[in-house]
Amino acid sequence: YGWPYEQIMHMKIQDINMLPPEEVKAAMGKVRAQKKVCFEFRHRRADGSVRDVEIFSSSIKAQGRDVLHTIVHDITERKRSEKLLSKSEERYRLITDNITDIILTTDTAGLYTFISPSHKRVLERGDEVLGRSIFEHINPDDTPGVVATFEKAVQSRGIMRTEYRYNHPSRGYIWLESEGRLTDMQGTLTGVIVSRDITARKQADAAFSESEERFRQ
């Protein structure tokens, strides 16, 4: 804490604690009542810096007196990391909640491990697909090609791109375009795939092709 031993021996807990006195008093009362507790405080060092601390405190008897035996861990860096992680997760959640493209992750066997909210909005299938095959609802005529593309990407760690027909619960077969690659997520190989509905584009291409043929004839 930075204070000389002689000085800190004449200080009170409240002198280093950044919490209101009533909260400190309540915490100490809790220790006396429960004998053993764990809680977090913020402590001030001699140089004025503030540290987050985790306190393990026990009520014991020593030389005939009731005293609090306390162990303090400095958790400032852990709290900072948790805050950064929380911000990162919130940013990620906002992106995945509002993006129109479908984002999903899969293991190397092609089983769903995560889907974005857009998967439910666009494809009308939600968390019930987790743990199931990503090829389950693909048109049987397109399945072999999509599986081959996926397996090649797993082996080469390259980027996969493919178009195929997907059996939509209420719209019948629609066209999807998918692009993804295998990446290392905390030591686990994971496929990250982004897909979009290209049915309107496919229909426009077919109409244009038909028009061109009619014009040629």
Side-chain angles (χ1 to χ4, degrees), residues 41-209:
F41 272 179
R42 303 191 78 208
H43 281 177
R44 177 176 60 89
R45 290 163 50 100
D47 61 6
S49 62
V50 177
R51 309 294 291 179
D52 291 297
V53 295
E54 186 174 50
I55 293 177
F56 299 87
S57 201
S58 305
S59 179
I60 63 173
K61 281 193 176 295
Q63 298 178 342
R65 299 171 57 202
D66 289 326
V67 299
L68 298 181
H69 176 266
T70 301
I71 298 173
V72 181
H73 288 164
D74 188 331
I75 59 171
T76 306
E77 296 306 318
R78 190 186 84 190
K79 296 291 282 187
R80 185 178 293 123
S81 297
E82 288 173 352
K83 189 174 181 180
L84 290 173
L85 179 61
S86 178
K87 284 185 177 180
S88 176
E89 288 181 335
E90 176 64 13
R91 189 180 303 117
Y92 177 71
R93 186 188 66 78
L94 286 172
I95 291 171
T96 54
D97 281 358
N98 291 283
I99 198 168
T100 56
D101 282 352
I102 302 157
I103 301 174
L104 64 91
T105 62
T106 172
D107 61 15
T108 54
L111 302 180
Y112 281 100
T113 55
F114 165 83
I115 59 169
S116 64
S118 52
H119 191 286
K120 174 71 172 178
R121 291 196 302 268
V122 178
L123 302 182
E124 296 183 4
R125 289 190 172 96
D127 290 345
E128 68 273 10
V129 303
L130 296 176
R132 290 160 59 177
S133 172
I134 62 173
F135 312 114
E136 182 177 355
H137 300 291
I138 295 177
N139 186 298
D141 292 338
D142 300 339
T143 302
V146 177
V147 171
T149 301
F150 178 84
E151 291 177 345
K152 184 178 179 181
V154 169
Q155 293 169 3
S156 66
R157 304 285 183 89
I159 297 175
M160 60 166 281
R161 294 186 182 90
T162 186
E163 297 178 0
Y164 52 92
R165 288 162 292 179
Y166 179 89
N167 190 9
H168 192 280
S170 61
R171 296 168 56 194
Y173 280 111
I174 63 172
W175 279 94
L176 293 182
E177 177 183 64
S178 294
E179 180 175 323
R181 70 180 305 163
L182 207 66
T183 186
D184 190 318
M185 285 191 177
Q186 299 178 332
T188 302
L189 288 177
T190 302
V192 180
I193 301 173
V194 179
S195 303
R196 60 194 59 87
D197 184 347
I198 60 168
T199 306
R201 191 183 80 193
K202 282 289 190 178
Q203 290 172 344
D205 288 347
F208 183 69
S209 179

Side-chain angles (χ1 to χ4, degrees), residues 2-60:
W3 281 286
Y5 177 79
E6 295 77 11
Q7 182 179 352
I8 204 168
M9 285 300 291
H10 292 87
M11 294 168 62
K12 296 180 179 180
I13 293 294
Q14 287 85 345
D15 294 332
I16 66 171
N17 215 297
M18 298 298 294
L19 294 179
E22 59 270 18
E23 289 192 32
V24 179
K25 186 176 180 180
M28 295 179 73
K30 191 176 180 182
V31 177
R32 293 189 182 96
Q34 299 183 13
K35 301 303 182 183
K36 291 182 180 181
V37 296
C38 173
F39 45 85
E40 294 181 5
F41 272 179
R42 303 191 78 208
H43 281 177
R44 177 176 60 89
R45 290 163 50 100
D47 61 6
S49 62
V50 177
R51 309 294 291 179
D52 291 297
V53 295
E54 186 174 50
I55 293 177
F56 299 87
S57 201
S58 305
S59 179
I60 63 173

